């Protein structure tokens, strides 16, 4: 998508210097900074510190990390150690393990001297695939928005609520939840997006920045506003992203998503989840029981970062000195609260049958599935 008229992906390969370039998202929306990533530690740090973030982007970054690992030392031992090292960076988004597994499966059968080139090729492939997947999600999500538009008066605005940033910054391009929004806007359908701020890290500000850059009308709201807006008929549908979706369609996404799903159910507002297939964890069914929820540093809740009047970005303390903070970063929305999963192949019910019929080649019963990786 475009930043000041120039097309960017959220990461890109700098072939001249053999390094990955990323957007350091910690400074957005106030400062657009890019950074090169060229060591194992820099790759791990980029994911841990959330310079790159969002499930699909974490996966793509991990693939480039494995390419570097193979350039340094293509042995089986280093392949395994690198898998372990990068897999430990963030626990919830399954795209990380998916990408690392895919690299391992492709690279292991190759001879050592083939691995560095093959790993880099694969990383490019994973990045390009992500862009195509998200474009397809946009197409299928657009059909949902077009259907809702039919029930409106001509020219009447469709209000969409989203949580966190499942935009192009969270993927390689397009975004997942935002892709239908961009495509609807580009098709001339009048949409307006309610953007949840998404405390504690305010990824809603990233979504606002993205939507604003593309000219999509939107309003930034506090996390607690969604239920009220739904009660008053001011939300036509919700579209969110996901960090891990189980084989039966339970959805794990940024903390607070579950509350939005409950409010949507109570108010008969359709609640859709944009789901690229690498975000499906076929090895588990019960998301509440089996998805590891990342607990982040409590300082993210007791402090907040923002732009000062002098133009500096600073962090200030919100709570009294010494207040203990708790910071679970994700929650699970059970499948019965999900209206549909918007995948790259089409929209499916959030059920075992729905997912299996959409992706028959991946489907295997969760109970007997091998835990991938390792
Ligand atoms: O902690 P983050 O910012 O990495 O969390 C991101 C989200 O929760 C997104 O909604 C999810 O990864 C889907 S991104 C297409």
């Amino acid at each position: 998508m475009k930043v000041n008229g120039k097309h960017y992906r959220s990461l890109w390969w700098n072939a001249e210097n053999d390094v990955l370039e990323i957007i350091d998202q910690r400074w957005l929306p106030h400062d657009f900074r890019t950074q090169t990533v060229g060591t194992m530690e820099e790759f791990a740090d980029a994911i841990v510190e959330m310079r790159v973030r969002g499930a699909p982007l974490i996966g793509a970054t991990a693939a480039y990390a494995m390419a570097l690992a193979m350039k340094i030392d293509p042995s089986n031992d280093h392949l395994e150690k690198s898998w372990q090292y990068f897999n430990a960076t963030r626990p919830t988004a399954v795209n990380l393990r998916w990408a690392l597994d895919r690299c391992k499966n492709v690279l292991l059968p190759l001879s050592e001297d083939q691995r560095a080139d093959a790993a880099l090729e694969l990383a490019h492939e994973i990045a390009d695939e992500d862009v195509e997947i998200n474009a397809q999600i946009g197409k299928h999500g657009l059909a949902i928005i077009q259907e809702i538009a039919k029930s409106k008066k001509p020219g009447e605005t469709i209000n969409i609520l989203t949580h966190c940033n499942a935009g192009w910054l969270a993927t390689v391009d397009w975004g997942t939840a935002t892709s239908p929004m961009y495509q609807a806007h580009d098709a001339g359908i009048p949409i307006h997006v309610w953007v949840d701020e998404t405390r504690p890290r305010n990824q809603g500000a990233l979504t606002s920045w993205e939507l604003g850059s593309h000219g999509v009308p939107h309003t930034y709201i506090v996390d607690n506003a969604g239920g009220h807006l739904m009660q008053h008929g001011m939300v036509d549908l919700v579209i969110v992203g996901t960090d891990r979706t189980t084989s039966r369609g339970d959805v794990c996404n940024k903390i607070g998503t579950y509350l939005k799903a409950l409010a949507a159910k109570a108010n008969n507002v359709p609640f859709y989840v944009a789901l690229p297939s690498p975000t499906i964890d076929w090895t588990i069914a019960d998301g509440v029981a089996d998805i590891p929820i990342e607990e982040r540093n409590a300082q993210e809740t007791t402090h907040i970062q923002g732009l000062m009047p002098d133009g500096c970005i600073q962090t200030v303390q919100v709570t009294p000195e010494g207040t203990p903070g708790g910071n679970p970063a994700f929650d699970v929305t059970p499948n019965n609260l999900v209206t549909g999963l918007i995948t790259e192949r089409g929209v499916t019910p959030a059920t075992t049958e729905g997912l299996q019929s959409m992706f028959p080649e991946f489907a295997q019963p969760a109970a007997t599935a091998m835990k991938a990786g390792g």
Side-chain angles (χ1 to χ4, degrees):
M1 303 296 282
K2 286 197 169 138
V3 180
N4 297 327
K6 181 176 170 197
H7 180 262
Y8 278 92
R9 283 184 171 187
S10 60
L11 51 66
W12 60 99
W13 183 247
N14 178 336
E16 211 171 296
N17 300 326
D18 242 9
V19 286
L20 187 70
E21 307 261 6
I22 60 165
I23 299 166
D24 185 346
Q25 299 190 21
R26 297 170 308 162
W27 308 107
L28 287 174
H30 306 301
D31 199 1
F32 182 78
R33 295 187 199 175
T34 62
Q35 188 202 323
T36 60
V37 187
T39 68
M40 297 282 281
E41 293 71 26
E42 282 170 358
F43 268 102
D45 182 65
I47 299 173
V48 170
E49 295 294 324
M50 293 174 64
R51 295 163 198 263
V52 293
R53 42 149 296 284
L57 181 58
I58 292 170
T61 306
Y64 282 102
M66 289 303 274
L68 173 71
M70 290 300 90
K71 194 176 151 203
I72 294 170
D73 171 1
S75 66
N76 284 0
D77 184 49
H78 195 240
L79 179 56
E80 182 56 37
K81 283 193 175 124
S82 304
W83 189 101
Q84 299 288 350
Y85 178 60
F86 293 122
N87 191 49
T89 49
R90 287 192 78 185
T92 302
V94 79
N95 306 58
L96 175 64
R97 189 187 75 199
W98 169 86
L100 292 172
D101 280 347
R102 184 162 161 187
C103 293
K104 191 159 126 177
N105 291 339
V106 168
L107 298 171
L108 263 181
L110 301 180
S111 63
E112 290 191 2
D113 63 334
Q114 293 175 311
R115 286 181 182 171
D117 286 348
L120 186 57
E121 268 315 300
L122 182 57
H124 293 329
E125 198 177 301
I126 286 174
D128 289 345
E129 266 176 30
D130 181 65
V131 179
E132 184 49 30
I133 285 174
N134 299 331
Q136 291 304 314
I137 286 175
K139 195 179 91 185
H140 298 301
L142 170 62
I144 294 171
I145 297 172
Q146 282 168 328
E147 206 47 44
I148 292 174
K150 285 186 197 157
S151 64
K152 296 249 171 195
K153 296 191 193 93
E156 201 183 341
T157 298
I158 295 169
N159 285 293
I160 305 170
L161 184 139
T162 194
H163 191 71
C164 194
N165 173 262
W168 71 263
L169 288 167
T171 64
V172 178
D173 208 348
W174 279 110
T176 59
T178 55
S179 186
M181 302 174 199
Y182 290 127
Q183 296 201 27
H185 176 78
D186 291 351
I189 299 173
I191 63 161
H192 164 264
V193 184
W194 297 109
V195 180
D196 285 351
E197 63 175 343
T198 317
R199 279 283 288 149
R201 288 188 67 116
N202 300 331
Q203 284 94 334
L206 303 178
T207 304
S208 293
W209 180 76
E210 278 192 23
L211 294 173
S213 305
H214 199 77
V216 181
H218 63 282
T219 306
Y220 186 75
I221 53 174
V222 297
D223 286 325
N224 296 328
H228 164 77
L229 296 172
M230 290 181 206
Q231 277 178 329
H232 290 270
M234 294 164 81
V235 181
D236 293 300
L237 77 159
V238 178
I239 312 179
V240 296
T242 169
D243 287 83
R244 192 184 294 225
T245 293
T246 70
S247 62
R248 73 178 187 197
D250 291 354
V251 172
C252 183
N253 191 49
K254 181 55 55 191
I255 193 79
T257 304
Y258 172 46
L259 284 174
K260 292 299 166 308
L262 286 170
K265 184 82 168 179
N267 290 282
N268 291 319
V269 172
F271 184 93
Y272 285 97
V273 178
L275 168 66
S277 57
T279 312
I280 305 169
D281 185 345
W282 296 102
T283 70
I284 56 174
D286 182 344
V288 175
D290 290 333
I291 297 180
I293 300 295
E294 179 177 13
E295 183 76 30
R296 292 191 61 87
N297 192 323
Q299 189 168 335
E300 291 181 351
T301 67
T302 57
H303 292 64
I304 193 163
Q305 176 180 289
L307 189 67
M308 304 303 279
D310 66 1
C312 288
I313 296 170
Q314 274 193 19
T315 299
V316 297
Q317 187 170 321
V318 179
T319 50
E321 192 58 38
T323 299
N327 194 9
F330 299 92
D331 61 25
V332 173
T333 298
N335 63 358
N336 65 316
L337 300 178
V338 178
T339 307
L341 301 167
I342 310 171
T343 77
E344 66 268 29
R345 292 192 187 166
V347 182
T348 182
T351 59
T352 308
E353 300 70 35
L355 280 169
Q356 286 192 354
S357 64
M358 197 59 86
F359 298 100
E361 73 276 35
F362 298 129
Q364 47 184 322
T368 56
M370 294 277 292
K371 294 261 175 201

